[in-house]
Amino acid sequence: MEQPEDPKLNLVDLLPDDVLADILRRLAPRPLAACRCVCKPWRAVVDGHRLLRADLLPLSLGGIFVNFHEVFTSFFLRRPSARPPAAAISGKFEDFTPTAARSTVVDHCNGLLMLRSRYVVNPAMQRWAAFPEPPPPRPGIARSFYHDEYLVFDPTVSPHYEVFLIPSVTPEEFVSKKLRPKVEESEWPPSPCFLSVFSSSTGQWEERSFVREGEAAGTIADMRSQPLLEQYNAVYWKRALYVHREANFVMRISPSKSKYQVIKLPIAQDGYVDPFLARSEKGVYLAVLDRCHLRVWILNESCEQMKWELKYDKEIQLSFQRWNYDEESVGPWTLHYSRRDVYDGDDTNYNAEVAERKFEWDSDSDDVLDLEDRVQRSSHGGFLILGFHPYKEVIFLDEGSSRGLAYHLGTSKAQDLGRLRPNFFDHWHVEGVNRSFVYTPCWIGELSNGI
């Protein structure tokens, strides 16, 4: 074959799509996923010939990991599925991790979970890896700032993960010492913003510099006057990390470009109800649920203009008032947890009654959520957001820290998922849900089951 006259052309570009597809299908899933990201023609070949096994990627809903106040382990509300891989997933980390790893989930990204004990685990593959503590913060900011770790993982780009350490301003009510006037007047977030990032490919933390695009959210004094968030979330969407750690804005970080943006929230934080940041069918969502009044915004990023668009504004109490279900009954979803970590006695096994049932509702194939008639009762009227279905217009709710619910935003129909907490919580007087993470299983990744 003669070399092309244009030096910019590659011989691979001259191959017919069928020939290129025959070459690419010989690759393993991870290299194939990387080839899909090389250019648009290669992506079209991979997608058009269905070369990449979608069942290995985090493209389905596995369940919800739930943390309760003052309980030092996470509970897994698992949805039913007829597929054996999903059915094998368990929230019992004790089955495949060392004792030191058994702690609460603090973040989730595309099938990987990050635990408070600084372990990253993949429940679908039963793999785990530990990462070291981050380096100490720069001198002079330890007392006025606090840091949280956020997980970034995209199996279509790389089998490796990263952990970002994001600083936030400590509210003045938690810091008695006054800051210097020059510090108080400094803009926040700063530009450049120096972040510590751990990469599993190198096994080390490094400091990266990110330049801000656009205006700052305000000054450090402005941030110190804001209340501390009780619910705070991060979203990874289209190779960008969105972090809601301050009360009045979301930080959008682009790792590949070493840049970040400040996205102001569409409402003011009132100190009672925290906005909930999530990813769903159309991208990045922001929801506020004040008892039964639900508002949902979607972030419009077209033309590089970040704008929150209000899509849903409704009272959901009327939709739930006619519900018919028994508070003690089991539901189609099952509750999994590491019993030896939280309780040494016996507990009612909610899984036994529903383990062999054939479920009529499947969140991956059915757009309509309905509720079976059971014992007549009315709604308590108070709800808490657990998260969003990642691929459908469905929001998951907690009613009274006892039942998991699924609410379809488009049709206002709902389903009772089942009990959210075990019986012995009533004797412990456990308070409500602290944080929750919607889980999407992934069968790709390089966790080594070691440090």
Side-chain angles (χ1 to χ4, degrees), residues 277-330:
L277 185 72
R279 191 196 80 186
S280 193
E281 183 181 25
K282 295 183 176 66
V284 179
Y285 286 53
L286 187 76
V288 174
L289 179 57
D290 188 358
R291 289 185 62 83
C292 295
H293 184 195
L294 176 65
R295 286 173 290 172
V296 179
W297 291 263
I298 300 178
L299 184 61
N300 185 346
E301 302 186 36
S302 60
C303 302
E304 298 184 356
Q305 297 295 323
M306 303 295 174
K307 181 179 180 182
W308 294 103
E309 296 182 351
L310 183 63
K311 290 297 184 181
Y312 301 99
D313 188 353
K314 59 179 67 177
E315 294 285 339
I316 63 174
Q317 184 175 17
L318 296 178
S319 302
F320 289 128
Q321 277 183 340
R322 300 180 182 274
W323 272 29
N324 302 316
Y325 69 83
D326 183 356
E327 187 172 341
E328 296 299 324
S329 67
V330 295

Side-chain angles (χ1 to χ4, degrees), residues 57-74:
L57 297 175
L59 299 176
S60 63
L61 173 66
I64 306 172
F65 281 91
V66 180
N67 298 343
F68 288 88
H69 287 283
E70 299 181 357
V71 178
F72 303 106
T73 190
S74 295

Side-chain angles (χ1 to χ4, degrees), residues 65-68 106-107 150 230 232-233 433-437:
F65 281 91
V66 180
N67 298 343
F68 288 88
V106 294
D107 201 12
Y150 296 93
E230 292 189 6
Y232 48 93
N233 300 80
V433 172
N434 181 15
R435 298 185 66 188
S436 52
F437 305 90

Side-chain angles (χ1 to χ4, degrees), residues 65 67 74 93 103-123 131 148-153 162-166 232-236 241-244 277 435-439:
F65 281 91
N67 298 343
S74 295
F93 300 145
S103 62
T104 54
V105 176
V106 294
D107 201 12
H108 166 264
C109 188
N110 287 324
L112 295 188
L113 300 170
M114 184 169 64
L115 307 184
R116 189 176 302 278
S117 52
R118 291 199 173 89
Y119 281 77
V120 174
V121 300
N122 186 331
F131 63 95
D148 286 289
E149 298 164 353
Y150 296 93
L151 185 63
V152 170
F153 173 61
E162 293 182 322
V163 178
F164 281 71
L165 191 66
I166 309 296
Y232 48 93
N233 300 80
V235 168
Y236 187 69
L241 176 63
Y242 302 76
V243 179
H244 181 212
L277 185 72
R435 298 185 66 188
S436 52
F437 305 90
V438 176
Y439 169 66

